[in-house]
Amino acid sequence: MKINNLKETALLFAVCVALAAVSVVVGLSAGSVPLTLPEILGGITGKDGFEMQTTIINYIRFPRVIGSALAGISLAVSGVILQTVTNNALCSANVLGINSGAGLGVMLAICFAPSAISMYPAAAFAGAAAVTLLVIVLSGKAGASRLAIVLSGIAISSICSAIISFLSLRYPEQLVSYTAFTTGSFSGIQWESLKIPALIIAVCLAGTFIITPQLELLCLGDTMAMSLGVKVKQTRVICLVIVSALVASVVSYAGILSFVGLIIPHIARKFVGSSLRKLLPLSAVMGFILVEFADIAGRVFFAPTELPAGIITALAGSPFFLYLLIARRSEV
């Protein structure tokens, strides 16, 4: 159901923002110690008699809610960018190997420095950045075309997966730690682990806003975009760097969350079409909502244990991906 008029678009955004606000409140209240709305307000304001609630909210729930929000926004926006620059509706960070690169970085850290847990986020970031650099170099040699970018990503992803499989066989005792990382979870997030990722995400989102006009023209095709003054190769490289930084920032504190960058752009596009000025902000809010509620569902429906948010998004995303493959079988 595509929305064409401004009034309906504004209403849709208002509904999504309201749902995002609801997800924040529910995220603050849900957990092993349920909190009522008055307790949440008392904990946030630090009223006397609400010391326990203040501790729970400030050091456990709020970092988790903010981490989930940043992850949803970052992955959804990265999905829109990737699908735009590759002109491939099935493209995501998984396809380009960014997630595999981050996973390989962590696997190497787990195998060769198992006691240095603090190194894992940096290793994830380094792996994602290295894969993106390789994609840029390889696709650049092939002309930085849409097809070159996708094929380079698939090839590098396969190599990373093969190395991970080899390390899993060579160091089987470390596989448990790697599996925990790949499930994607917001459990135990602290403010300290969010500072640098949040800064990087803010810079990348600002960069996306600046480059949106060039991305809009890129949708017209390479030839038309070049005739209108767009530096196509440079724009694609900048987009890949932004996507890498967004995804790696999320991976550094939450692990690997699958399918968010695939699902959300498709849902948002059904409502507002392909105009990036509408699609990007709507996708960001919808990504916020999806990841927040995935985290909440994992806490509430599987209590007293917890199901990682990454498993929830994978369960939702896999059928959606199959649906897209069938619906677009004539295009892929």
Side-chain angles (χ1 to χ4, degrees):
M1 183 186 72
K2 187 176 177 181
I3 295 174
N4 295 312
N5 65 68
L6 183 61
K7 185 177 180 180
E8 290 181 341
T9 302
L11 179 61
L12 174 63
F13 273 96
V15 170
C16 288
V17 170
L19 283 174
V22 169
S23 73
V24 170
V25 175
V26 177
L28 291 175
S29 66
S32 58
V33 180
L35 300 178
T36 63
L37 186 58
E39 287 177 325
I40 292 173
L41 294 175
I44 291 174
T45 56
K47 283 185 178 180
D48 291 337
F50 289 89
E51 288 78 10
M52 183 187 73
Q53 289 83 353
T54 299
T55 300
I56 291 173
I57 289 174
N58 288 342
Y59 297 101
I60 300 175
R61 303 277 171 84
F62 244 138
R64 187 164 189 158
V65 166
I66 297 300
S68 301
L70 290 174
I73 292 169
S74 300
L75 296 176
V77 168
S78 69
V80 174
I81 296 172
L82 282 178
Q83 291 173 16
T84 300
V85 299
T86 63
N87 193 30
N88 184 343
L90 300 179
C91 194
S92 65
N94 302 65
V95 173
L96 290 192
I98 298 174
N99 280 350
S100 296
L104 176 57
V106 171
M107 189 64 175
L108 288 169
I110 290 172
C111 291
F112 298 109
S115 60
I117 298 175
S118 59
M119 288 179 55
Y120 295 174
F125 199 95
V131 164
T132 302
L133 180 61
L134 282 172
V135 170
I136 291 171
V137 171
L138 293 177
S139 63
K141 291 183 180 297
S145 66
R146 296 184 180 102
L147 182 60
I149 291 172
V150 173
L151 292 179
S152 298
I154 291 173
I156 294 170
S157 178
S158 299
I159 293 171
C160 290
S161 297
I163 297 174
I164 289 172
S165 297
F166 168 76
L167 292 172
S168 300
L169 294 172
R170 182 68 178 79
Y171 302 93
E173 69 280 1
Q174 307 299 348
L175 189 58
V176 174
S177 298
Y178 177 74
T179 302
F181 169 82
T182 58
T183 55
S185 174
F186 300 100
S187 178
I189 289 179
Q190 302 296 320
W191 288 118
E192 199 63 34
S193 62
L194 288 177
K195 288 181 180 178
I196 295 177
L199 177 61
I200 294 172
I201 289 168
V203 171
C204 289
L205 292 178
T208 301
F209 176 78
I210 293 170
I211 206 173
T212 294
Q214 285 76 25
L215 279 175
E216 291 271 21
L217 295 176
L218 203 60
C219 295
L220 302 174
D222 290 3
T223 303
M224 180 65 74
M226 283 189 285
S227 69
L228 294 172
V230 177
K231 297 179 179 179
V232 174
K233 291 182 181 180
Q234 291 89 328
T235 300
R236 285 208 174 98
V237 168
I238 291 170
C239 287
L240 285 176
V241 171
I242 289 174
V243 168
S244 172
L246 286 172
V247 174
S249 296
V250 174
V251 169
S252 71
Y253 68 83
I256 296 175
L257 294 160
S258 303
F259 293 109
V260 177
L262 176 68
I263 298 172
I264 293 301
H266 280 278
I267 296 175
R269 205 174 280 116
K270 291 289 184 182
F271 289 102
V272 297
S274 298
S275 172
L276 294 180
R277 297 180 190 277
K278 297 178 181 178
L279 183 60
L280 279 168
L282 182 60
S283 296
V285 179
M286 286 185 166
F288 181 129
I289 295 167
L290 173 64
V291 178
E292 286 285 2
F293 278 115
D295 184 46
I296 292 166
R299 280 188 273 165
V300 173
F301 297 126
F302 298 90
T305 59
E306 182 176 312
L307 192 68
I311 295 178
I312 303 289
T313 60
L315 288 172
S318 299
F320 191 86
F321 183 70
L322 292 175
Y323 161 76
L324 288 177
L325 283 176
I326 295 171
R328 304 176 66 90
R329 60 186 179 277
S330 62
E331 303 175 32
V332 296

